[in-house]
């Protein structure tokens, strides 16, 4: 407290504040006596000015007002200033009244305090105005590019934050605000007019000669999604402000950026419990299977942020392992890490790795996930990798004494219609069974939807098709999917691993599903092309593919967790011998099993599995 007070008293802002406080004190006398100051009261003013200066200085210092930055003074700073002035006024009144000065005009106390507040607040506002004007003039120097006009789309609250951000970014001039609220039309915000509604965006942009639009709505807001789907590629350059996660990255700037595909998602991104995850991962050995894949690599990047004692990366692909190693060496040069080209289908190798490193946390992302590819000719591969691979990894983790094992599952495991989905549901059952075998290891599963931009997903395929001039192939005009970004998927896995109890299956509140056709149209527009240039062709549903995905089976319910975006699926627990029985069945299938026999076995072990061929 004393240190803070000394710093406040040492502030150079007193060079301005003290004369203004004295001026306010004398002005209060002049106003009290109608701009005249009779002789006895002149002596009162002279006698009490040092007291007023001292008491007001002390009040402002106790409120830490002198430590404010005048250049960035805000309403919060002005409220703090008002508190300091009120405290100083009380001290001044107490001291002067305690002196019992005969005939002292008490109304001076009531007049001086507002005057001090007005003068000090005015000085700060004037300084900020001068600084902003100097900044504007610097941008407009000869040879500098003129600022580009843009429209801000959002409510007044959203636009206010965007305007504050843009003040620190050169090169932009806000021509108007486009608000979805009819009652805000015609109002002004920081000198900028609300000029219309989003439905009139094209007309408004043309009238103001603007080609750039800044989406001020928060991630997940319906307005952002509506504007992207309607106006992307319609002659308007759509921008948005970076998210908090983006601003935390090295070298990030608050400047507007172009909208990206992940901005289409209909919900706010997952938020991490950083403190809890730091306690879980810092100083621990963390092993990630499937580390070279899209989700596995992001898991490694996320884990690296929390300072593990060692990160062990396991993937069957030599190139993917090499690429991950190079990436992590660049971004985390001091990270202790080990990289292995090993397969989860080899239990002895996994046991050896686990014994060598004794991981505290195991994140199991290794899997085959391409639905049509696993539906024909590769059914046994899906079972051996997705089911037996999970069994081997979970058992090896339990035998090595790992505290937590997290299985990366999928929404396709709910009421599966494909071999891949059924194999992931079996993997969940195997994980639950291993949880019973190794009670010292918390074994949990995490289901989420499709991941934007992951290997094998529609986005890389669509982009390649667009580059070739089309057509962009969509299986059905009404097909919808839940989507998340790669960082979201990885964060969800970590968050569930932190909170989960053994045997639990977590699901994410995925928001609204996205039509794949809308996704294709948006990608076409974001590439700078029109649908006339790159047509969309509908090819029909592929083997094992549904029109829509579910996050929970019909007979399942969920219960909340401390995390607002995570819920626990209440599913039947697996039998204690489930892992043994399932593994024996898969081994009995042999190297080239009959496809019908595989599906029949899946139906017996996954009752909710219904191949689409049977429904047609």
């Amino acid at each position: 407290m004393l240190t803070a007070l000394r710093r406040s008293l040492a502030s150079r802002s007193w060079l301005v504040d003290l004369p203004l406080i004295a001026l306010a004190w004398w002005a209060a006398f002049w106003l009290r006596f109608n701009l005249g100051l009779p002789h006895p009261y002149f002596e009162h003013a002279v006698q009490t000015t040092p007291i007023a200066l001292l008491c007001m200085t002390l009040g402002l210092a106790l409120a830490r007002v002198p430590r404010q930055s005048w250049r960035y003074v805000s309403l919060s700073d002005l409220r703090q200033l008002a508190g300091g002035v009120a405290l100083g006024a009380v001290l001044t009144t107490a001291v002067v009244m305690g002196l019992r000065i005969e005939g002292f005009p008490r109304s001076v106390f009531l007049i001086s305090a507002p005057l001090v507040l007005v003068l000090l607040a005015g000085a700060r506002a004037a300084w900020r105005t001068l600084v902003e004007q100097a900044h504007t003039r610097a941008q407009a120097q000869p040879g500098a590019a003129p600022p580009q006009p843009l429209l801000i789309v959002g409510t007044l609250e959203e636009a206010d934050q965007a305007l504050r951000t843009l003040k620190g970014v050169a090169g932009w001039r806000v021509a108007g605000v486009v608000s979805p609220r009819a009652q805000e039309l015609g109002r002004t915000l920081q000198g900028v007019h609300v000029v219309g509604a989003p439905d009139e965006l094209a007309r408004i942009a043309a009238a103001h000669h603007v080609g750039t639009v800044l989406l001020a709505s928060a991630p997940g807001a319906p307005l952002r999604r509506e504007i992207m789907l309607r106006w992307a590629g319609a002659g308007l350059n759509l921008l948005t402000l970076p998210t908090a996660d983006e601003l935390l990255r090295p070298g990030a700037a608050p400047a507007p950026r172009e909208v990206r595909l992940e901005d289409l998602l209909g919900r706010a991104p997952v938020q991490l419990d950083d403190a809890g995850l730091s306690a879980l991962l810092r100083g621990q050995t963390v092993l990630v299977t499937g580390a070279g894949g899209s989700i596995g690599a992001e898991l490694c990047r996320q884990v690296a942020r929390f300072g593990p004692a060692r990160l062990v990366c396991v993937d069957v692909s030599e190139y993917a392992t090499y690429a991950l190693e190079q990436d992590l060496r660049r971004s985390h040069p001091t990270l202790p890490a080990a990289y292995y080209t090993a397969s989860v289908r080899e239990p002895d190798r996994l046991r050896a790795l686990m014994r060598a490193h004794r991981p505290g946390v195991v994140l199991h992302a290794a899997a085959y996930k391409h639905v049509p590819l696993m539906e024909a000719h590769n059914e046994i591969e899906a079972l051996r990798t997705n089911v037996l691979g999970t069994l081997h990894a979970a058992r090896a983790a339990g035998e090595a004494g790992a505290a937590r094992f997290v299985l990366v599952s999928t929404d396709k495991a709910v009421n599966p219609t494909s071999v891949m989905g059924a194999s992931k549901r079996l993997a969940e059952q195997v994980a639950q069974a291993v949880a019973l075998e190794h009670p010292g290891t918390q074994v949990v599963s995490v289901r989420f939807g499709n991941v934007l931009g992951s290997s094998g997903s529609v986005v890389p395929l669509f982009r390649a098709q667009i580059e070739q001039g089309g057509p962009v192939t969509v299986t059905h005009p009404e097909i919808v999917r839940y989507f998340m970004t790669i960082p979201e998927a990885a964060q969800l896995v970590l968050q569930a691993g932190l909170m989960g109890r053994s045997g639990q299956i977590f699901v994410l509140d995925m928001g609204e599903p996205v039509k794949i056709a809308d996704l294709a149209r948006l990608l076409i527009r974001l590439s700078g092309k029109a649908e006339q240039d790159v047509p969309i062709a509908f090819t029909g549903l592929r083997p094992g593919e549904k029109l829509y995905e579910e996050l929970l089976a019909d007979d399942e319910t969920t219960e909340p967790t401390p995390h607002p975006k995570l819920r626990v699926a209440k599913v039947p627990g697996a039998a204690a011998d489930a892992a043994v029985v399932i593994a024996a069945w898969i081994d009995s299938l042999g190297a080239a099993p009959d496809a019908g026999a595989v599906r029949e076995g899946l139906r017996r072990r996954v009752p909710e599995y219904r191949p689409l061929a049977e429904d047609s």
Side-chain angles (χ1 to χ4, degrees):
M1 182 67 178
L2 291 176
T3 301
L5 186 59
R6 284 197 298 268
R7 289 177 179 173
S8 295
L9 292 174
S11 170
R12 288 181 292 179
S13 68
W14 295 118
L15 297 175
V16 177
D17 287 345
L18 288 175
L20 292 178
I21 293 170
L23 176 60
W25 186 250
W26 280 83
F29 278 91
W30 287 326
L31 292 173
R32 167 64 180 78
F33 296 104
N34 298 320
L35 304 184
L37 197 55
H39 179 67
Y41 300 108
F42 180 86
E43 291 182 353
H44 290 165
V46 172
Q47 182 182 359
T48 56
T49 295
I51 297 173
L53 286 172
L54 179 61
C55 291
M56 193 60 71
T57 297
L58 185 59
L60 294 175
L62 289 173
R64 299 188 178 185
V65 170
R67 301 176 69 181
Q68 294 175 347
S69 171
W70 287 28
R71 180 172 182 174
Y72 303 105
V73 68
S74 64
L75 284 176
S76 176
D77 294 324
L78 294 182
R79 286 192 291 269
Q80 185 182 18
L81 174 64
V85 169
L87 180 58
V90 170
L91 293 173
T92 303
T93 302
V95 173
V96 173
M97 293 298 292
L99 294 175
R100 300 183 181 276
I101 299 174
E102 185 178 353
F104 188 88
R106 299 178 180 180
S107 56
V108 167
F109 300 127
L110 298 177
I111 298 172
S112 65
L115 288 177
V116 172
L117 180 60
V118 169
L119 290 175
L120 297 191
R124 286 154 172 77
W127 180 257
R128 175 165 179 168
T129 301
L130 290 173
V131 169
E132 290 180 354
Q133 289 179 345
H135 181 68
T136 302
R137 286 194 299 270
Q139 294 179 13
Q141 287 181 349
Q148 298 182 48
L150 62 76
L151 293 169
I152 295 178
V153 177
T155 63
L156 285 181
E157 294 89 345
E158 295 164 342
D160 177 66
Q161 184 60 45
L163 283 167
R164 294 178 186 276
T165 302
L166 288 173
K167 282 184 178 179
V169 180
W172 298 105
R173 174 180 62 82
V174 180
V177 174
V178 177
S179 173
R181 297 175 180 171
Q183 66 269 27
E184 294 178 351
L185 181 63
R187 299 178 67 181
T188 61
L189 176 69
Q190 300 183 35
V192 179
H193 290 274
V194 178
V195 293
D199 289 345
E200 307 171 297
L201 189 56
R203 179 191 62 78
I204 295 170
H208 288 80
H209 306 287
V210 173
T212 302
V213 174
L214 177 66
L215 305 182
S217 299
L223 179 61
R224 174 185 288 235
R225 182 172 176 152
E226 174 190 339
I227 295 296
M228 288 182 66
L229 291 175
R230 181 170 180 180
W231 299 108
L236 296 174
N237 181 29
L238 300 185
L239 303 179
T240 188
L241 294 173
T243 64
D245 284 344
E246 291 170 341
L247 290 174
L248 290 175
R249 295 171 186 169
R257 61 163 176 80
E258 290 189 353
V259 295
R260 298 195 285 258
L261 200 57
E262 50 265 37
D263 295 313
L264 183 65
L265 297 181
R267 70 187 179 284
V270 175
Q271 298 300 313
L272 280 175
D273 175 8
D274 284 339
L277 287 172
S278 180
L280 172 68
L281 300 173
R282 185 172 298 278
Q284 289 282 344
T285 295
V286 181
L287 186 145
V288 181
T289 70
S294 306
I295 304 302
E298 183 62 26
L299 279 172
C300 294
R301 286 188 284 267
Q302 295 281 350
V303 168
R305 296 193 299 118
F306 293 98
R310 178 173 292 274
L311 178 61
V312 182
C313 306
V314 180
D315 196 282
V316 72
S317 167
E318 177 189 27
Y319 176 75
T321 305
Y322 166 77
L324 175 65
E325 179 187 22
Q326 297 302 305
D327 180 34
L328 290 179
R329 286 188 187 280
R330 283 192 301 269
S331 56
H332 300 278
T334 61
L335 173 70
Y339 303 89
Y340 294 95
T341 55
S343 172
V344 295
R345 289 161 64 156
E346 299 177 5
D348 291 339
R349 178 60 171 159
L350 281 182
R351 289 193 189 95
L353 295 179
M354 300 276 188
R355 283 197 301 267
H357 293 286
R358 299 289 175 182
V361 178
V362 176
L363 307 173
H364 180 55
Y368 283 138
K369 61 181 182 179
H370 195 276
V371 172
L373 194 60
M374 296 298 107
E375 196 66 19
H377 311 303
N378 294 298
E379 298 92 339
I380 190 61
E381 302 300 324
L383 295 176
R384 288 178 175 173
T385 296
N386 295 355
V387 184
L388 294 184
T390 298
L391 175 61
H392 300 156
R395 278 181 170 167
E399 292 167 6
R404 293 181 184 271
F405 177 91
V406 185
L407 164 66
V408 175
S409 190
T410 171
D411 56 2
K412 294 176 178 61
V414 184
N415 292 330
T417 58
S418 65
V419 170
M420 194 284 284
S423 72
K424 294 299 281 186
R425 180 67 189 108
L426 274 183
E428 293 175 353
Q429 295 178 22
V430 162
Q432 289 178 316
V434 174
L436 299 175
E437 295 177 6
H438 297 278
T441 300
Q442 299 291 312
V443 180
V444 299
S445 303
V446 188
R447 291 176 181 170
F448 48 75
N450 300 272
V451 180
L452 283 176
S454 64
S455 59
S457 70
V458 295
V459 173
L461 172 64
F462 285 173
R463 284 181 172 146
Q465 291 174 336
I466 291 169
E467 289 177 2
Q468 296 168 5
V472 175
T473 55
V474 178
T475 57
H476 193 283
E478 298 301 320
I479 192 169
V480 296
R481 289 291 183 266
Y482 294 96
F483 281 99
M484 64 170 50
T485 64
I486 293 176
E488 276 184 305
Q491 290 170 8
L492 172 61
V493 172
L494 293 179
Q495 191 67 56
L498 169 65
M499 299 189 317
R501 298 192 307 272
S502 214
Q504 288 183 323
I505 297 175
F506 284 83
V507 294
L508 173 68
D509 175 7
M510 296 287 291
E512 295 297 321
V514 177
K515 278 190 176 183
I516 300 298
D518 287 342
L519 194 68
R521 292 187 185 97
L522 184 60
L523 272 172
I524 292 170
R525 294 170 186 173
L526 291 178
S527 70
K529 300 179 181 179
E531 291 170 50
Q532 292 80 5
D533 305 320
V534 182
I536 295 176
F538 297 103
T539 59
L541 292 175
R542 299 174 298 178
E545 189 172 46
K546 304 188 215 177
L547 270 181
Y548 60 94
E549 300 290 1
E550 307 152 276
L551 292 180
L552 291 172
D554 297 335
D555 61 342
E556 294 174 4
T557 58
T558 64
E559 56 187 22
T561 71
H563 195 283
K565 294 295 182 183
L566 283 170
R567 298 185 68 85
V568 174
K570 297 173 66 176
V571 298
D577 63 346
V580 175
V581 172
I582 292 171
W585 168 65
I586 295 175
D587 288 338
S588 71
L589 291 173
D594 176 71
V598 172
R599 286 172 172 78
E600 181 58 33
L602 284 174
R603 272 193 293 265
R604 290 198 302 270
R605 291 160 181 83
V606 183
E608 61 269 34
Y609 169 55
R610 291 290 181 272
L612 285 179
E614 295 183 355
D615 300 333
S616 58

